[in-house]
Amino acid sequence: APCPQWPYCRKRCSYCNFNTYVVRAPDEAAVRACLVREAQTLLRLSQVHSVTSVFFGGGTPSLASPGTVAAVLEAVAGAAHLAAAAEVTLEANPSSASTSRLAGFRAAGVNRLSIGVQSLDDAELRMLGREHTAAEARQAVEAARGLFPGRTSIDLLFGLPGQSRDAWAQRLEAALGLCDDHISLYQLTLERGTALAAQVRGGALPEPPQDLLADMYETARNVLVATGFRHYEVSNFARKGALSTHNLSYWRADEYIGVGPGKGVMGASGGECVAMCPVNSVVPLPAAAGAHGRFVLRGEGGCRREARVQTLEPVTWMREVQSQGHGTRSRAVLNPLEQLEELLTLGLRTDEGITHERWGHFSPQLSLQDVFGKPGEARALQQSGWLVLDSGSLRCTWAGLAVLDSLLPDLLWQLQRV
Amino acid sequence: MALAGRAALRWGTRLPGPCPAAGPLCRPAWLPAARCERPYSSRDEGKLDMSMYPVESIRNFSIIAHVDHGKSTLADRLLEITGTISKTDRNKQVLDKLQVERERGITVKAQSASLFYNHEGINYLLNLIDTPGHVDFSYEVSRSLSACQGVILVVDANEGIQAQTVANFYLAFEAQLSIIPVINKIDLKNADPERVEKQIEKLFDIPREECIRVSAKQGTNVEKVLQKVIEKIPPPQCNTADPLKALVFDSTFDHYRGVIANIALFGGEIAKGQKIVSAHTKKRYEVNEVGILTPNEQPTHKLYAGQVGYVIAGMKEVTEAQIGDTLFLHKQPVEPLPGFKSAKPMVFAGMYPIDQTEYNNLKSALERLTLNDSSVTVHRDSSLALGAGWRLGFLGLLHMEVFNQRLEQEYNMSVILTAPTVPYKAVLSSAKLIKEYGKDQITIINPAQFPDKLSVSEYLEPTVLGTIVTPHEYIGKIITLCQDRRAVQKEMLYIDENRVMLKYLFPLNEIVVDFYDALKSLSSGYASFDYEDAGYQSADLIKMDILVNGNPVEELATIIHKEKAYAAGKLLCERLKETIPRQLFEIAIQAAIGKKIIARETLKAYRKNVVAKCYGGDITRRMKLLKRQAEGKRLMRKIGNVEVPRDAFIRVLKRETDK
């Protein structure tokens, strides 16, 4: 799953700390050439035979021209098998999602759209530093649904400073009236160094209380499940089977290849910002790939999974791609324990959890039962009702999912001792 | 011998003042060129011959003052004038050698110096015996003073009499020493020497005419002080013909030479090769070296009655040369000098390495530092939360802080210091316990040892008599503060129109933590405070436990006065609540006396903490964080099923002012 990133935005949102660059009129032809070249190089190195999904993240990939998207897809298809059914997602910002533009992306090969709506309230959108209004967001979603029926996702943020439980319930209701079959709900994280975090720290905006955030999350989960959505990952909901295969493969710790500068970019680092930040995406791994990747370097005769981070700064990244074919800044071989740690951390975010089969793929010797079936942390967490280990998988309970970050250190600690 | 010395003194006088380069004697190598020559013997290696200074020409004195009133600056000038040190701009707190002393403007280790001064044709030996400048060291001060016949009482012309001035005056007064009042810093713009003279007259009953106005900084009138020392302070009353009787008034440790004991001779003489005995330990030593302090050690052939200097005699630990001990010649025992007692710690605190891997380094630093400070008591201790460490006893709070600062500055050690406690006592009524302890009264320095009320007839707490000097506008607030601290007023006196001296009897534990800071802040820094030991009093003490989900946390158990338990319990619970992270279940944090809960805080369970998004470049960083948390599980102290980070205890146990 390549994840090409388009690292540029027209404007930085108040809550965004991604690797995004607000520059006017980037030399798109040059960026395109580099994305193409890097996708080719990394696909060759990985010797991936077939690509199941491509996710264009950002930055704001919808700022790129459809021609760039098409060129990257052609490069992917040229280097590996890109099935007709492969999921090709593009993150779009309502302010750059006119019907004609979206049609262009569809013509270029995009078949799924993720729209950074974030809120359907103008005041909230202003606080977030978004360029669009609620009305524009509605128009964009409607246009997208017309072009990508059943394959349009919207991103929403909750836990904004000053947002009440009722206000959130209203936003959610409005979103339900607008949405297609996939919703991503992200709790706003006040990242250090962002304008919004500074305002909260300075006291200009209130810090959302922990219990309120918990209530909002709980409300949303209940409402969405009641309206037929499957809560298939911590922040992701889908009905009628509209799960994002790209994201799912990421949580399953499949291979993915990041193309484009930076690591936090687009789909990759996600956060609430995903939709609006610049693009980069490439290969068909999970959306997350953006500017980093996890794949096996078969092309170099290797067999070990590597963690890769691409050069952050676009100009440098371009120079590196031009000279060596890719802008990988760092690569680290993941040892078996590290791979299992990632699998655990990512897999428990999903409703299916970590299946015995998937665990066995990474750990042929020690089964899930061997590691977590014995008396210890996992057993205690099961007894307290946070965790389930049965014949299907190791997974969180409904209540456990909300406190996963408290469960993981215990589980990792138990894993490390085996 | 004595006669010969006197003759040499009377007739052989050369000396101070800008001395002529004349004289057949060559300058000893140890004297800087700028210095004057001094009498010495040419018999061997340029050692001073102290027999030239008979008792009549000796003056032993100290300078006493409130902190920052200029004691060390005056000492610097006296050393310069007498040529003991050369006159440069660099002479600042010459006698204060430790970094902590220079930084805090206090004297921790007393340094003494012998000065040579010619007055009206007579060559005098003036021994300036420096004293530690704080009440924590009052025992040392009293020992230093017992080697003196007089003191220079320095008072700041601007600040006037302060609490420590009062305490120091009474120490000198009770020791029946001659007192020379000196009003310092008259060069300052706001100096009001007249007002200070009135205070001195009113409070100390010293006629104002006797005060000498000086500026130690600029050297104004300092020579006059020296003259007064000679005129007003009597020479020591003792005889070289008597058997050796030497008071140990300080000791230091030198890695190459062992213990260097500072001594004042109350009789006889001391020389290399003599066999001496400690009255306290009864141990016998052979004298390797004697000498005077200038202020560095300067070997002499002998020291004679009335003189002050040092002796090195193969003592390996400072505890062998305890302050206040008497040394005498083997087989010529003398009545020991009165007033000796072993240093008595008044404040105890746990000390732990921040990281247990540092334990051995800290251990050796402690050993080396206590070599020079025998008043610190050290007991090994351990805590489930903080690991292996020690329970240290200090003379007082300042002593504790200074010790800690010296560990940091001189040994580069950072430590965890728990909240200080005081030594309580219990009078036992249970026959079983009396048998167990072999006595009916025990001292409790660790709450774990607190005996149950049923087996105790009375609990006792240490008290101190505190002196506060303050501008009168703060009296109201200060009285309220003292009452809050369970103090009883003993005296209140206007020392002039604007200043009041208050005396209160305080339970020691009420002032060990933050009293001084509170006093300073409510008086905008103007009130001063000093205290002295005032024995034990009966107290209604209880042991307060802190429970986490019903399980006691032993390192937070506290002995406390019943009246204070509610407030203290509430505070501890609140602090603990702030420092324990939320967990998957609700946590009750309670303070309890026996079975009775007196305070409670509830830490609610986490309801949501999963990060919204977890992919892209975040994953590497996120894995790092999670692994660090997993690793942190190792360092958690488990109380029942509650995980408490180690630093939670540190933050709770820390003194309030460190918050």
Side-chain angles (χ1 to χ4, degrees), chain A residues 186-187 210-211 215 217 235 250 263 268-271 274 288 292 294 341 345 349 402-403 405-406 409-410, chain B residues 582 584 604 606-620 622-623 626-627 629-630 633-634:
Chain A
Y186 298 114
Q187 179 184 311
Q210 290 296 319
D211 284 336
D215 285 346
Y217 186 61
S235 303
Y250 175 73
K263 55 176 182 182
S269 48
V274 171
H292 76 155
R294 293 288 187 279
E341 286 169 344
T345 302
R349 295 178 63 86
V403 293
D405 288 10
S406 286
D410 273 341
Chain B
R582 288 172 88 170
L584 289 169
K604 288 207 265 179
Y606 250 132
R607 291 178 49 213
K608 175 181 188 296
N609 70 342
V610 61
V611 293
K613 223 160 190 183
C614 179
Y615 48 12
D618 277 349
I619 184 70
T620 308
R622 176 137 182 76
M623 287 314 300
L626 283 169
K627 282 195 262 187
Q629 288 172 351
K633 296 270 165 191
R634 208 191 298 265

Side-chain angles (χ1 to χ4, degrees), chain B residues 156-421:
Chain B
D156 184 307
N158 181 18
E159 290 193 359
I161 288 178
Q162 294 295 317
Q164 227 177 300
T165 320
V166 179
N168 283 326
F169 169 82
Y170 282 106
L171 279 174
F173 184 76
E174 282 158 18
Q176 300 185 316
L177 305 182
S178 304
I179 294 167
I180 301 170
V182 166
I183 296 169
N184 189 25
K185 306 195 190 180
I186 55 167
D187 55 305
L188 290 187
K189 212 171 78 192
N190 296 323
D192 188 355
E194 213 154 304
R195 183 180 65 108
V196 180
E197 283 169 1
K198 280 187 203 155
Q199 290 178 352
I200 289 174
E201 190 171 68
K202 172 151 191 194
L203 208 53
F204 303 148
D205 208 15
I206 298 174
R208 63 184 74 172
E209 299 73 36
E210 287 186 26
C211 295
I212 311 172
R213 298 181 183 185
V214 311
S215 164
K217 194 171 152 206
Q218 298 179 347
T220 318
N221 277 343
V222 173
E223 191 104 27
K224 203 165 160 190
V225 174
L226 276 180
Q227 290 157 11
K228 277 277 183 228
V229 165
I230 289 165
E231 287 164 14
K232 258 190 92 174
I233 297 175
Q237 300 290 315
C238 52
N239 198 330
T240 297
D242 289 344
L244 172 67
K245 187 189 234 186
L247 167 77
V248 177
F249 66 88
D250 193 13
S251 61
T252 51
F253 181 81
D254 181 290
H255 279 281
Y256 302 102
R257 298 190 289 174
V259 174
I260 301 171
N262 290 3
I263 52 170
L265 269 67
F266 283 70
E269 52 183 55
I270 189 166
K272 183 175 175 173
Q274 283 176 343
K275 302 272 194 302
I276 56 168
V277 177
S278 148
H280 175 58
T281 65
K282 308 286 185 283
K283 281 194 193 165
R284 201 172 80 180
Y285 304 92
E286 181 172 327
V287 176
N288 298 329
E289 181 180 321
V290 295
I292 58 167
L293 299 155
T294 63
N296 298 320
E297 289 108 34
Q298 177 54 47
T300 61
H301 291 288
K302 288 187 176 182
L303 288 176
Y304 300 92
Q307 295 178 355
V308 170
Y310 68 92
V311 57
I312 299 173
M315 294 175 176
K316 291 190 179 59
E317 291 178 17
V318 272
T319 48
E320 294 175 72
Q322 288 208 31
I323 295 172
D325 197 3
T326 303
L327 304 176
F328 54 84
L329 284 179
H330 181 50
K331 293 190 175 156
Q332 292 186 53
V334 296
E335 181 74 11
L337 291 153
F340 172 79
K341 55 184 178 182
S342 288
K344 187 179 65 175
M346 297 285 275
V347 174
F348 291 85
M351 182 177 276
Y352 298 86
I354 283 182
D355 183 333
Q356 279 293 315
T357 59
E358 287 284 296
Y359 179 86
N360 283 324
N361 292 338
L362 180 55
K363 185 174 170 223
S364 87
L366 276 178
E367 278 166 3
R368 278 184 286 167
L369 197 48
T370 47
L371 274 178
N372 248 327
D373 190 347
S374 60
S375 50
V376 177
T377 61
V378 181
H379 297 285
R380 266 217 305 259
D381 201 357
S382 70
S383 143
L384 287 169
L386 305 175
W390 300 267
R391 184 148 277 262
L392 304 184
F394 301 97
L395 300 172
L397 261 196
L398 178 79
H399 187 207
M400 178 176 96
E401 281 173 21
V402 163
F403 188 87
N404 191 24
Q405 198 175 336
R406 288 185 68 184
L407 267 181
E408 280 176 14
Q409 289 176 346
E410 295 168 38
Y411 296 91
N412 198 25
M413 299 298 309
S414 277
V415 299
I416 299 160
L417 209 53
T418 65
T421 59

Side-chain angles (χ1 to χ4, degrees), chain A residues 126-144:
Chain A
R126 275 195 300 276
M127 170 165 55
L128 295 169
R130 302 290 294 180
E131 276 193 306
H132 60 88
T133 62
E136 283 163 344
R138 286 175 192 282
Q139 284 159 19
V141 175
E142 274 153 21

Side-chain angles (χ1 to χ4, degrees), chain A residues 31 33-46 257-262 282-283 290-293 295 297 299-300 306-332:
Chain A
V31 176
C34 289
L35 286 172
V36 165
R37 174 113 190 258
E38 190 173 43
Q40 287 168 337
T41 308
L42 296 180
L43 279 168
R44 185 165 38 76
L45 286 173
S46 73
I257 295 170
V259 180
V282 169
V283 199
H292 76 155
F295 62 91
L297 278 187
E300 287 183 351
E306 280 192 353
R308 290 183 155 240
V309 176
Q310 308 305 99
T311 297
L312 227 66
E313 205 278 313
V315 174
T316 318
W317 167 79
M318 280 171 64
R319 211 164 42 231
E320 287 171 9
V321 174
Q322 282 156 2
S323 68
Q324 58 187 23
H326 62 82
T328 301
R329 190 33 85 77
S330 73
R331 24 191 296 206

Side-chain angles (χ1 to χ4, degrees), chain A residues 59-369:
Chain A
T60 311
S62 54
L63 286 176
S65 69
T68 296
V69 171
V72 172
L73 289 173
E74 273 163 33
V76 172
H81 172 63
L82 180 60
E87 179 187 282
V88 179
T89 308
L90 177 100
E91 292 194 320
N93 214 338
S95 49
S96 52
S98 63
T99 309
S100 60
R101 211 171 163 74
L102 295 183
F105 288 124
R106 189 174 66 169
V110 171
N111 57 23
R112 185 172 179 273
L113 217 59
S114 170
I115 302 183
V117 170
Q118 315 309 3
S119 170
L120 288 168
D121 176 81
D122 286 340
E124 288 183 358
L125 288 168
R126 275 195 300 276
M127 170 165 55
L128 295 169
R130 302 290 294 180
E131 276 193 306
H132 60 88
T133 62
E136 283 163 344
R138 286 175 192 282
Q139 284 159 19
V141 175
E142 274 153 21
R145 290 186 66 181
L147 289 161
F148 304 93
R151 295 179 72 93
T152 296
S153 174
I154 61 170
D155 283 1
L156 286 182
L157 285 176
F158 69 91
L160 277 51
Q163 190 179 49
S164 69
R165 203 173 321 217
D166 288 348
W168 166 235
Q170 285 167 23
R171 305 289 170 268
L172 192 62
E173 200 178 319
L176 274 171
L178 177 69
C179 75
D180 197 8
D181 295 329
H182 193 282
I183 296 187
S184 300
L185 291 184
Y186 298 114
Q187 179 184 311
L188 175 71
T189 357
L190 293 166
E191 298 284 359
R192 268 215 309 217
T194 62
L196 206 57
Q199 284 174 285
V200 170
R201 211 180 32 247
L205 289 172
E207 185 169 359
Q210 290 296 319
D211 284 336
L212 176 61
L213 294 172
D215 285 346
M216 287 177 164
Y217 186 61
E218 199 57 23
T219 304
R221 290 171 89 182
N222 285 315
V223 167
L224 286 166
V225 167
T227 44
F229 281 86
R230 172 176 157 194
H231 187 190
Y232 75 101
E233 193 267 349
V234 170
S235 303
N236 286 280
F237 300 81
R239 61 185 166 193
K240 300 179 193 159
L243 286 68
S244 163
T245 46
H246 185 85
N247 285 358
L248 213 48
S249 57
Y250 175 73
W251 294 310
R252 287 173 177 160
D254 282 343
E255 286 177 59
Y256 59 95
I257 295 170
V259 180
K263 55 176 182 182
V265 197
M266 86 149 240
S269 48
E272 312 61 54
C273 201
V274 171
M276 44 109 24
C277 296
V279 168
N280 283 340
S281 335
V282 169
V283 199
L285 297 192
H292 76 155
R294 293 288 187 279
F295 62 91
V296 177
L297 278 187
R298 298 173 191 86
E300 287 183 351
C303 58
R304 287 180 300 179
R305 190 176 163 95
E306 280 192 353
R308 290 183 155 240
V309 176
Q310 308 305 99
T311 297
L312 227 66
E313 205 278 313
V315 174
T316 318
W317 167 79
M318 280 171 64
R319 211 164 42 231
E320 287 171 9
V321 174
Q322 282 156 2
S323 68
Q324 58 187 23
H326 62 82
T328 301
R329 190 33 85 77
S330 73
R331 24 191 296 206
V333 174
L334 294 176
N335 67 35
L337 176 64
E338 286 170 330
Q339 293 185 27
L340 288 175
E341 286 169 344
E342 284 198 7
L343 176 63
L344 200 60
T345 302
L346 296 169
L348 286 177
R349 295 178 63 86
T350 64
D351 64 345
E352 65 178 14
I354 301 151
T355 61
H356 294 280
E357 183 201 351
R358 183 144 295 274
W359 180 268
H361 176 69
F362 287 91
S363 170
Q365 317 292 333
L366 279 173
S367 70
L368 270 177
Q369 199 67 39

Side-chain angles (χ1 to χ4, degrees), chain B residues 13 274 467:
Chain B
T13 310
Q274 283 176 343
T467 302

Side-chain angles (χ1 to χ4, degrees), chain B residues 138-151:
Chain B
S138 68
Y139 174 64
E140 274 85 345
V141 175
S142 76
R143 291 307 83 200
S144 294
L145 292 185
S146 71
C148 299
Q149 286 73 46
V151 294

Side-chain angles (χ1 to χ4, degrees), chain B residues 375-540:
Chain B
S375 50
V376 177
T377 61
V378 181
H379 297 285
R380 266 217 305 259
D381 201 357
S382 70
S383 143
L384 287 169
L386 305 175
W390 300 267
R391 184 148 277 262
L392 304 184
F394 301 97
L395 300 172
L397 261 196
L398 178 79
H399 187 207
M400 178 176 96
E401 281 173 21
V402 163
F403 188 87
N404 191 24
Q405 198 175 336
R406 288 185 68 184
L407 267 181
E408 280 176 14
Q409 289 176 346
E410 295 168 38
Y411 296 91
N412 198 25
M413 299 298 309
S414 277
V415 299
I416 299 160
L417 209 53
T418 65
T421 59
V422 302
Y424 293 105
K425 287 183 176 180
V427 181
L428 302 173
S429 59
S430 138
K432 185 167 158 274
L433 279 184
I434 293 172
K435 199 175 163 201
E436 199 179 308
Y437 285 103
K439 52 190 173 185
D440 64 357
Q441 186 170 324
I442 58 167
T443 301
I444 308 150
I445 59 170
N446 194 327
Q449 311 159 327
F450 192 74
D452 189 87
K453 201 175 172 75
L454 292 173
S455 44
V456 167
S457 60
E458 189 180 26
Y459 294 110
L460 302 170
E461 65 178 343
T463 62
V464 293
L465 184 63
T467 302
I468 297 166
V469 175
T470 176
H472 63 89
E473 58 263 41
Y474 303 111
I475 292 180
K477 285 188 199 164
I478 290 175
I479 289 177
T480 307
L481 174 69
C482 292
Q483 282 166 351
D484 283 350
R485 304 300 177 117
R486 298 193 285 125
V488 179
Q489 196 181 90
K490 294 290 176 189
E491 194 181 337
M492 179 164 153
L493 177 74
Y494 272 80
I495 60 176
D496 62 22
E497 304 80 57
N498 304 317
R499 277 168 190 275
V500 183
M501 180 183 75
L502 298 158
K503 291 206 171 195
Y504 273 90
L505 186 70
F506 287 92
L508 177 60
N509 83 310
E510 295 290 341
I511 60 163
V512 291
V513 174
D514 57 357
F515 177 79
Y516 189 64
D517 294 326
L519 179 73
K520 280 283 173 195
S521 86
L522 64 74
S523 67
S524 308
Y526 285 115
S528 60
F529 178 65
D530 208 341
Y531 63 88
E532 60 193 273
D533 186 3
Y536 276 76
Q537 72 181 13
S538 177
D540 203 353

